């Protein structure tokens, strides 16, 4: 797979091919799953030509000027998620992340690595019933170019989606293959209500042309513009339309999910727009979305000299590292990674992967207030 085709797979969530060799990159995205990457495999009809501009310029020169916070996303959802759900059973609530993934390189240039990070937010309104609850859902998925470790201050955005919807549990899946699975396997439906999309002009114009042809959503898609649309803006599309168009038009997706045995995350099956297929798919146990539980301990007055002594330098470094993020959820994911750089290793030995995050929470908020960094009011 060439580096150009890499970004086709990268942007389309296509099935990857063989193992890496030289500039080839493979097996970086194995499947398209429920809450995830929008532009579909049908775009591989452009395989006769690259979807990446062959340029030797650093992508930073294209993108640096347009970076900056857009804090308009889902504030109501974020506020709702700050209140704990009183339930004895696990429930999708709060922040979930998937670790930084090294995807490959852009245009065969080893100085332009591509990495990806996901941050999700679930908020429950009303009573929670395991496997049946309707949950407001937002996912930020950002592809960075210029840094292999998903650091916003060391990279620029190649491609980004912020998608909104409702996750509805449809009860336990009664199929025989799931009857002995512990924890319980639940059916789920995801109804999308809209979202925002950013496409860098490093990518070929064919991508923008396809969106404008298949789902203009009452306007025009442009490079280097984080455009937000709702389901009402977008007309229903055909079954062969790009996945992003179907998502933005509100086409439901179906899949199975189960909590991990320690309730620290969840796994899903591959999704499908067809209910019969989606609820029949097997779970993919290795693809875990990890929960970052909130401490509900974010009072700035609790940031005393002892907490600041332990956390102050990291918080200041995090402000520098994350201030170029584009929206709330990207902020949350970046701040957590900066305060807990070894979280993936620490998670293997228990729940301490967020201990320092909780301890520093009052000082994160105090720093945000003192220096007018409202975007740092994170869900810690």
């Amino acid at each position: 797979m060439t580096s150009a085709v890499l970004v086709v797979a990268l942007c389309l969530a296509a099935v990857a091919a063989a193992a890496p060799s030289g500039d080839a990159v493979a097996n970086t995205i194995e499947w398209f799953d429920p809450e995830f990457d929008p532009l579909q495999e049908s775009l591989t009809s452009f395989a006769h030509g690259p979807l990446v501009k062959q340029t030797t310029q650093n992508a930073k020169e294209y993108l640096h000027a347009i970076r900056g916070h857009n804090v308009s996303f889902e504030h109501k959802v974020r506020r709702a998620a700050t209140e704990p759900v009183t339930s004895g059973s696990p429930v999708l609530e709060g922040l979930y992340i998937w670790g930084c993934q090294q995807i490959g390189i852009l245009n065969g240039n080893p100085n332009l690595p591509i990495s990806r990070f996901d941050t999700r937010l679930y908020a429950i309104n009303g009573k929670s019933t395991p496997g049946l609850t309707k949950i407001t859902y937002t996912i930020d998925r950002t592809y960075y170019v210029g840094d292999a470790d998903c650091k916003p201050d060391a990279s620029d955005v190649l491609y980004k989606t912020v998608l909104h919807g409702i996750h509805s549990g449809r009860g336990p899946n009664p199929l025989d293959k799931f009857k002995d699975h512990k924890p319980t396997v639940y059916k789920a439906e995801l109804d999308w209500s809209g979202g925002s999309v950013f496409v860098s002009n490093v990518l070929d114009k064919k991508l923008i042309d396809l969106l404008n042809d298949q789902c203009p959503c009452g306007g025009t898609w442009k490079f280097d513009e984080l455009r937000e649309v709702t389901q009402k803006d977008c007309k229903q599309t055909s079954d062969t339309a790009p996945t992003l168009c179907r998502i933005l038009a509100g086409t439901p997706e179906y899949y199975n999910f189960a909590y991990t045995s320690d309730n620290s995350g969840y796994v899903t099956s591959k999704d499908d727009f067809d209910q019969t297929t989606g609820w029949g798919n097997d779970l993919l146990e290795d693809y875990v979305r990890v929960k970052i539980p909130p401490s509900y301990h974010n009072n700035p007055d609790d940031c005393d000299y002892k907490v600041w002594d332990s956390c102050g330098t990291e918080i200041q470094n995090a402000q520098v590292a994350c201030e170029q993020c584009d929206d709330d959820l990207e902020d949350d994911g970046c701040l957590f990674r900066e305060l807990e750089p070894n979280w993936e290793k620490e998670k293997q030995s228990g729940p301490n992967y967020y201990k320092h995050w909780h301890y520093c929470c009052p000082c994160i908020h105090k720093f945000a207030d003192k220096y007018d960094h409202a975007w740092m009011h994170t869900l810690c």
Side-chain angles (χ1 to χ4, degrees):
M1 185 185 291
T2 66
S3 59
V5 177
L6 156 68
V7 181
V8 177
L10 150 72
C11 292
L12 316 182
V15 177
S21 174
D23 288 339
V25 180
N27 210 23
T28 56
I29 300 178
E30 296 180 352
W31 45 274
F32 173 71
D33 85 31
E35 309 112 313
F36 308 84
D37 236 325
L39 296 178
Q40 134 198 70
E41 300 88 40
S42 63
L43 282 178
T44 55
S45 60
F46 292 126
H48 61 276
L51 288 180
V52 180
K53 293 179 179 178
Q54 298 302 313
T55 174
T56 57
Q57 285 186 271
N58 192 309
K60 292 178 183 295
E61 296 177 20
Y62 284 104
L63 301 171
H64 183 74
I66 53 86
R67 292 304 298 278
H69 292 278
N70 184 327
V71 294
S72 65
F73 299 118
E74 298 293 322
H75 283 290
K76 185 182 295 184
V77 172
R78 288 167 59 79
R79 285 197 297 271
T82 62
E83 296 300 324
V85 171
T86 55
S87 170
S89 301
V91 64
L92 291 178
E93 174 206 17
L95 287 174
Y96 287 76
I97 62 175
W98 183 32
C100 180
Q101 306 293 307
Q102 288 78 42
I103 300 301
I105 57 177
L106 181 65
N107 292 343
N109 185 343
N111 295 318
L112 293 178
I114 300 168
S115 55
R116 177 189 66 204
F117 195 83
D118 291 2
T119 311
R120 299 166 175 78
L121 176 65
Y122 295 89
I124 299 171
N125 295 315
K127 184 179 179 180
S128 169
T129 303
L132 293 172
T133 308
K134 286 190 175 182
I135 305 170
T136 303
Y137 174 76
T138 302
I139 176 174
D140 174 287
R141 168 169 280 186
T142 304
Y143 286 92
Y144 301 97
V145 62
D147 181 77
D149 298 314
C150 301
K151 289 185 173 292
D153 64 325
S155 62
D156 285 295
V157 173
L158 180 68
Y159 174 67
K160 179 184 186 72
T161 57
V162 183
L163 301 174
H164 317 302
I166 298 292
H167 163 100
S168 299
R170 298 303 186 195
N173 192 318
L175 293 179
D176 286 345
K177 63 182 175 181
F178 296 134
K179 67 179 181 180
D180 295 325
H181 189 281
K182 303 296 180 184
T184 302
V185 177
Y186 296 105
K187 297 174 294 182
E189 177 180 336
L190 193 54
D191 295 282
W192 297 103
S193 58
S196 301
V197 181
F198 172 90
V199 181
S200 161
N201 70 2
V202 172
L203 299 176
D204 192 88
K205 190 173 180 290
K206 294 185 181 76
L207 288 172
I208 292 292
D209 288 346
L210 188 86
L211 293 177
N212 284 322
D213 178 64
Q214 296 287 325
C215 53
C217 296
T220 304
W221 297 100
K222 299 177 182 178
F223 282 124
D224 298 343
E225 179 181 288
L226 188 64
R227 182 185 174 206
E228 185 167 13
V229 298
T230 69
Q231 177 187 354
K232 294 179 181 179
D233 299 321
C234 305
K235 297 178 180 179
Q236 284 293 330
T237 57
S238 71
D239 292 349
T240 59
T243 299
L244 177 58
C245 294
R246 301 186 71 184
I247 287 174
L248 294 177
T251 307
E253 295 185 90
Y254 303 91
Y255 54 98
N256 300 307
F257 79 99
Y259 300 103
T260 56
S261 58
D262 61 359
N263 295 332
S264 67
Y266 70 95
V267 297
T268 71
S269 68
K270 184 178 179 180
D271 70 308
D272 204 282
F273 290 114
D274 176 72
Q275 183 186 100
T276 302
T277 302
W279 287 350
N281 285 334
D282 293 331
L283 290 179
L284 296 163
E285 303 279 4
D286 294 334
Y287 186 61
V288 181
R289 276 70 104 204
V290 177
K291 185 171 185 175
I292 310 301
S295 66
Y296 306 109
H297 181 56
N298 58 8
N299 188 341
D301 293 338
D302 293 332
C303 176
D304 61 18
Y305 71 95
K306 291 178 288 186
V307 181
W308 181 255
D309 184 66
S310 176
C311 304
T313 298
E314 293 168 324
I315 291 171
Q316 292 175 83
N317 290 341
Q319 181 262 319
V320 173
C322 304
E323 64 181 346
Q324 292 194 61
C325 293
D326 293 309
D327 62 89
D328 292 333
L329 285 183
E330 188 185 358
D331 291 332
D332 292 329
C334 179
L335 290 170
F336 176 78
R337 297 194 305 275
E338 290 296 318
L339 270 293
E340 295 280 9
N342 299 314
W343 72 271
E344 290 181 275
K345 180 183 294 184
E346 291 174 356
K347 187 183 182 305
Q348 297 175 8
S349 58
N352 289 330
Y353 64 95
Y354 52 80
K355 183 177 181 180
H356 192 60
W357 174 245
H358 283 182
Y359 181 71
C360 296
C361 187
C363 287
I364 297 174
H365 283 259
K366 184 172 184 176
F367 183 83
D369 290 343
K370 183 175 182 179
Y371 295 102
D372 195 26
H373 295 309
W375 61 271
M376 293 184 71
H377 287 140
T378 186
L379 300 176
C380 56

